[in-house]
Amino acid sequence: MLSTTPRTTLGRSKHRALSRREDLYAVLDAGMVCHLGVVADGSPMVVPTCYGRIDDTLYLHGSTGAASLRNTGEVCVTVTHLDGIVLARSVFSHSLNYRSAMIYGRPRRVEDPEECLAGLRAITEQLAPGQWDVARKPTRKELAATTVLALSLAEASVKVRQGPPNDDEEDRALPIWAGVLPLHQVWGAPEPDPTMTAELPVPAHIASRTAPAR
Amino acid sequence: MLSTTPRTTLGRSKHRALSRREDLYAVLDAGMVCHLGVVADGSPMVVPTCYGRIDDTLYLHGSTGAASLRNTGEVCVTVTHLDGIVLARSVFSHSLNYRSAMIYGRPRRVEDPEECLAGLRAITEQLAPGQWDVARKPTRKELAATTVLALSLAEASVKVRQGPPNDDEEDRALPIWAGVLPLHQVWGAPEPDPTMTAELPVPAHIASRTAPAR
């Protein structure tokens, strides 16, 4: 079960909250970019960044110079999938179909070199499954230039809306088309780096993704 | 030109910053969901929400009960488009192709009924161009239940990465495929609300979107 702290308990739209840890994993594992919120000089700052998950830990990384990682106070990490536009008869009932997860916590700076590598591997594999094993691994110098943060998934909430519009009963007879316009993410054809000198085929772990995406 | 305050001037990756107001408009106008960052009880909170733009004002809305809108202190609104995964020879040079915009400011609560309607219209049209004119307009009661916020685009930054990987020179000869796996958003076929009693055709302003999406 997910946490039930005040900030992870939905005040409104309670029926949209999911409460199993598996629901949280499903939203996180289907994503590639999260939005990391920090407080910098008293103001909020929201930065898109990639992430990876190992069990109940989310890993984030960045340059050691990144302002968003220098702050190690409380953060909020949000992952959102937009699944469709909900077109209702009334403007008021228009909505979005989506899956989203919010995680609150104070990230820990990863110092252990093995955990650093494991975190970077999780981040790389989240974006491109299979790449870690084929790509050149980070050097000591590259690792020194990288900050890896670990955020516990202990305090998190999941919110999902799916399905048709919820127009008021008295609006349903209006002669206005209502329904959902679904939105999907699809991969395009791989674009080889023009600086590649050898004629290398697109590896199977990349080529196989160009089927309809998650 | 966009602003050059400390928080909108990139500390790193300066070459990825765009500085024209048109660049900001292009990123915002191509999006449907932003991530709104606020500080609530001293902690950051990042909420996905929809938005609309009129000239140099971004409009946000929500229930009058929404915690994220009750706070009218500083906010950060971020819009991100993920355009592809950049697959490099080295793990370290892996990256994302993206377009993103960050807006900082203190939103104004819209009180004027005409501006409220204009803001809601902009938000609706951002998600579903053409819907405002066909859908039932908000009632006085619905308007009373809705908070509309206006955020100036005065303080904003835009960051874009496109193109192939930037592997180190000495990595380029490695026998590892490198390139970009592009990611696109596409609309699915419209799904009629099962509660529609009349046989209404999908309107042209909706049907015409199911061509490859923005």
Side-chain angles (χ1 to χ4, degrees):
Chain A
M1 293 292 287
L2 295 178
S3 55
T4 54
T5 61
R7 58 188 180 179
T8 58
T9 303
L10 296 189
R12 300 171 311 114
S13 309
K14 286 183 204 297
H15 59 288
R16 294 186 182 163
L18 299 185
S19 59
R20 297 179 313 150
R21 297 213 69 80
E22 290 70 28
D23 301 321
L24 174 64
Y25 299 158
V27 171
L28 296 178
D29 295 354
M32 287 178 280
V33 165
C34 66
H35 281 81
L36 166 67
V38 301
V39 179
D41 298 329
S43 294
M45 178 179 176
V46 178
V47 182
T49 188
C50 46
Y51 64 92
R53 180 179 75 85
I54 300 177
D55 300 331
D56 282 314
T57 302
L58 198 80
Y59 288 94
L60 305 167
H61 80 316
S63 160
T64 47
S68 51
L69 302 187
R70 220 176 292 148
N71 171 306
T72 48
E74 289 278 328
V75 305
C76 175
V77 171
T78 300
V79 173
T80 306
H81 306 282
L82 180 56
D83 294 323
I85 313 289
V86 181
L87 303 159
R89 285 89 168 171
S90 69
V91 163
F92 191 76
S93 293
H94 275 63
S95 189
L96 295 171
N97 279 341
Y98 63 89
R99 293 159 287 149
S100 75
M102 289 171 70
I103 304 147
Y104 290 95
R106 189 178 288 266
R108 164 174 62 83
R109 197 188 185 99
V110 179
E111 307 285 358
D112 174 60
E114 290 211 5
E115 190 184 1
C116 257
L117 278 175
L120 293 174
R121 181 191 174 113
I123 295 168
T124 306
E125 292 286 302
Q126 180 82 18
L127 290 176
Q131 275 295 103
W132 184 266
D133 287 338
V134 301
R136 176 180 63 69
K137 304 297 173 298
T139 61
R140 192 180 295 257
K141 193 177 155 196
E142 288 170 345
L143 286 175
T146 307
T147 297
V148 178
L149 298 182
L151 178 64
S152 161
L153 298 182
E155 192 176 355
S157 64
V158 177
K159 204 170 161 188
V160 172
R161 191 208 187 281
Q162 302 293 334
N166 292 317
D167 271 303
D168 290 347
E169 198 59 41
E170 60 267 32
D171 287 330
R172 294 231 170 111
L174 291 173
I176 300 171
W177 189 90
V180 171
L181 189 58
L183 191 63
H184 306 287
Q185 285 195 308
V186 295
W187 299 105
E191 299 168 351
D193 182 350
T195 72
M196 259 195 299
T197 46
E199 283 267 335
L200 299 173
V202 179
H205 70 277
I206 298 167
S208 64
R209 297 181 83 181
T210 58
R214 32 192 178 177
Chain B
M1 293 291 287
L2 294 179
S3 54
T4 54
T5 60
R7 59 188 179 179
T8 58
T9 303
L10 296 189
R12 300 171 311 115
S13 311
K14 286 182 202 299
H15 59 288
R16 293 186 185 162
L18 299 184
S19 59
R20 296 178 314 150
R21 298 213 69 80
E22 290 70 28
D23 301 321
L24 174 65
Y25 299 158
V27 171
L28 296 178
D29 295 355
M32 287 178 280
V33 165
C34 66
H35 280 81
L36 165 67
V38 301
V39 180
D41 298 328
S43 294
M45 177 180 178
V46 178
V47 182
T49 188
C50 46
Y51 65 91
R53 181 179 75 84
I54 300 177
D55 299 331
D56 281 315
T57 302
L58 198 80
Y59 288 95
L60 304 167
H61 81 317
S63 159
T64 47
S68 52
L69 303 186
R70 219 175 293 146
N71 170 306
T72 48
E74 289 278 327
V75 305
C76 175
V77 171
T78 299
V79 172
T80 306
H81 306 282
L82 180 57
D83 295 322
I85 312 289
V86 180
L87 303 160
R89 284 89 169 172
S90 69
V91 163
F92 190 76
S93 292
H94 276 63
S95 188
L96 295 171
N97 279 341
Y98 63 89
R99 293 159 288 149
S100 74
M102 289 171 71
I103 304 148
Y104 291 96
R106 189 179 288 265
R108 164 175 62 83
R109 197 188 186 99
V110 179
E111 306 286 358
D112 175 61
E114 289 211 5
E115 190 184 2
C116 257
L117 278 175
L120 292 174
R121 181 191 173 112
I123 294 167
T124 306
E125 291 286 301
Q126 179 83 19
L127 290 176
Q131 274 297 102
W132 184 265
D133 287 338
V134 302
R136 177 180 64 69
K137 304 297 173 295
T139 61
R140 193 180 295 257
K141 193 178 155 194
E142 288 170 344
L143 286 175
T146 306
T147 297
V148 178
L149 298 181
L151 178 64
S152 161
L153 297 182
E155 192 176 356
S157 64
V158 177
K159 204 170 160 187
V160 171
R161 191 208 187 281
Q162 302 293 334
N166 292 318
D167 271 302
D168 290 348
E169 196 59 42
E170 59 268 31
D171 287 330
R172 296 231 170 110
L174 291 173
I176 299 170
W177 189 91
V180 171
L181 188 58
L183 191 63
H184 306 288
Q185 284 194 309
V186 295
W187 300 105
E191 298 168 351
D193 182 349
T195 72
M196 260 195 300
T197 46
E199 281 269 335
L200 300 172
V202 179
H205 71 276
I206 298 168
S208 63
R209 297 181 84 180
T210 59
R214 33 189 179 180

